[in-house]
Amino acid sequence: MPFVNIKKQYLAMGLLIFVMLFLFNTRPVFQCQFNAEVSSYLPVIYGITPTYARLAQKADLTRLSQTLMHIKNLHWVVIEDSAEKTKLVANLLKESNLKYTHLNIKTHKTKQSTPTSIQKVRGIKGVAASGVEQRNLALDWLKGHLQKAEDQRGVVFFMDDDNTYSLKVFDEMRKIKRVGVWPVGIVGGMRVEMPLVTDGKVSGFNAWWKPFRPFPIDMAGFAINATLFLEHPEAKFSRKVQSGFQESEILKYFTTRDELEPLAENCTKVYVWHTRTQKPSIVNPQKLKRPLVSYDHIEV
Ligand code: UGA
Ligand code: MN
């Protein structure tokens, strides 16, 4: 019947239009999803932070953890300089909702470990470095973790607990191939200590404090491709080197000055500051003449 034939034709046409619409609509969607997957790949940032008990510790760690809450795909490795893990740090980590690993190791202090008061006032490093054993323990943990991980890519960033970090520094470090560098504000007696860049390559350093260091940069001024720690499992910090040489000590395993990758717009932007929290001075409660309510039970 002609009526049936017409209907069949309409049906075939309709089907064709439907298939074409489906293809037109879905192909870009597939492509978008695929592209989104490729471009949204973010290497894990392993932020390694030694920390020790002091009056401003919780304040410093609160500020830092609340910066880190804005960073995608970050794994915070916090190492307490103590014989036991403390409740203060354990609770702070738990409440942060960050992905973290909590470790501890106590530094065995020698007489040399404490900076002189002049060094403290000038805001430069003491005689012996802080955080050496803690960062090394974190590197041991990292190697074990990466060996088991499906995805061994990542970025290692050594973060002091009292520095100030712009969110932008984390975007920068995800671009590194081996070792990336950038300026650090307010450090080594300068407004900014920074690599000098010529034609997209590091050609020198603008550093006043110990400019003869192999890499005259602060710990906050570089990040390292995490996979390299599997290639060089011997890479670690050392108590044997003089003050200010820890950065050079670790970097020497992975890179040369020529190979450094300048970031933060060819090292013209400051995205991290070597701030230091002033040691607070409070009155000794035992010496107070007026009886006050005891606040020992309050975590500060
Ligand atoms: C500078 C550098 O930025 C640090 O990376 C380097 O570790 C340090 O000097 C050094 O070589 O001693 P600075 O501000 O002088 O930093 O040092 P701190 O911020 O007091 O200490 C660096 C990190 O180690 C901090 O995260 C701090 O919490 C931790 N630390 C400090 C300990 O774990 N134990 C300590 O006894 C002192
Ligand atoms: Mn510091």
Side-chain angles (χ1 to χ4, degrees):
M1 267 199 306
F3 173 74
V4 174
N5 279 345
I6 290 166
K7 230 186 159 184
K8 265 186 189 163
Q9 274 168 1
Y10 276 133
L11 210 70
M13 283 271 281
L15 209 68
L16 195 70
I17 289 168
F18 178 78
V19 168
M20 278 171 71
L21 275 174
F22 178 79
L23 282 177
F24 272 119
N25 278 328
T26 53
R27 269 194 67 206
V29 170
F30 280 139
Q31 278 170 1
C32 280
Q33 277 173 353
F34 179 70
N35 286 343
E37 224 167 77
V38 171
S39 63
S40 70
Y41 172 75
L42 288 177
V44 182
I45 293 173
Y46 295 96
I48 295 181
T49 303
T51 188
Y52 70 107
R54 62 200 186 269
L55 190 46
Q57 184 187 29
K58 191 174 180 186
D60 283 337
L61 287 176
T62 298
R63 187 176 55 229
L64 178 52
S65 66
Q66 293 187 3
T67 295
L68 298 183
M69 285 173 199
H70 297 280
I71 312 300
K72 288 200 190 101
N73 228 8
L74 178 123
H75 191 133
W76 197 19
V77 186
V78 178
I79 323 94
E80 288 196 72
D81 183 351
S82 59
E84 307 278 341
K85 292 189 180 74
T86 64
K87 266 197 196 144
L88 186 147
V89 174
N91 288 338
L92 188 132
L93 288 170
K94 219 179 289 164
E95 284 167 19
S96 73
N97 280 328
L98 289 165
K99 187 164 187 187
Y100 67 86
T101 296
H102 185 185
L103 306 169
N104 69 291
I105 181 169
K106 189 160 175 56
T107 306
H108 292 291
K109 290 241 158 80
T110 61
K111 262 192 191 162
Q112 279 225 311
S113 308
T114 337
T116 63
S117 53
I118 291 173
Q119 280 168 331
K120 272 189 197 158
V121 169
R122 287 166 72 191
I124 56 177
K125 297 168 192 186
V127 181
S130 334
V132 171
E133 291 79 1
Q134 291 72 27
R135 293 188 189 108
N136 283 344
L137 181 67
L139 291 177
D140 286 342
W141 170 86
L142 178 78
K143 283 175 270 183
H145 172 78
L146 290 180
Q147 270 154 3
K148 286 180 269 154
E150 252 173 53
D151 186 2
Q152 297 186 329
R153 288 172 293 183
V155 179
V156 174
F157 184 33
F158 298 104
M159 314 178 70
D160 290 5
D161 60 1
D162 57 346
N163 288 345
T164 305
Y165 303 89
S166 161
L167 304 186
K168 290 177 185 168
V169 77
F170 301 93
D171 293 337
E172 291 299 306
M173 69 182 72
R174 295 200 214 253
K175 299 175 192 166
I176 68 169
K177 294 185 181 75
R178 291 181 68 84
V179 178
V181 289
W182 48 80
V184 178
I186 330 171
V187 71
M190 296 184 80
R191 286 175 70 237
V192 54
E193 207 182 62
M194 59 191 208
L196 301 168
V197 180
T198 315
D199 298 330
K201 294 202 117 208
V202 174
S203 53
F205 295 88
N206 199 26
W208 170 79
W209 187 64
K210 298 193 178 179
F212 48 86
R213 288 173 286 166
F215 295 92
I217 48 180
D218 184 72
M219 204 67 82
F222 65 90
I224 302 172
N225 181 332
T227 320
L228 296 181
F229 284 92
L230 292 179
E231 288 172 24
H232 292 279
E234 73 283 12
K236 57 179 178 165
F237 295 92
S238 166
R239 275 265 163 240
K240 292 192 182 120
V241 300
Q242 63 161 297
S243 144
F245 279 63
Q246 291 301 334
E247 294 85 351
S248 301
E249 187 60 17
I250 199 76
L251 286 171
K252 73 175 188 199
Y253 292 98
F254 307 114
T255 187
T256 60
R257 280 181 170 216
D258 294 343
E259 288 170 346
L260 292 173
E261 297 153 42
L263 294 167
E265 295 186 26
N266 273 327
C267 295
T268 60
K269 299 281 179 196
V270 176
Y271 295 152
V272 54
W273 298 260
H274 188 253
T275 46
R276 303 175 103 206
T277 304
Q278 190 184 6
K279 193 173 180 222
S281 83
I282 53 160
V283 287
N284 180 347
Q286 264 133 44
K287 287 192 182 157
L288 286 176
K289 293 213 178 80
R290 280 178 293 129
L292 288 177
V293 179
S294 162
Y295 54 78
D296 288 351
H297 60 289
I298 294 181
E299 190 181 89
V300 178

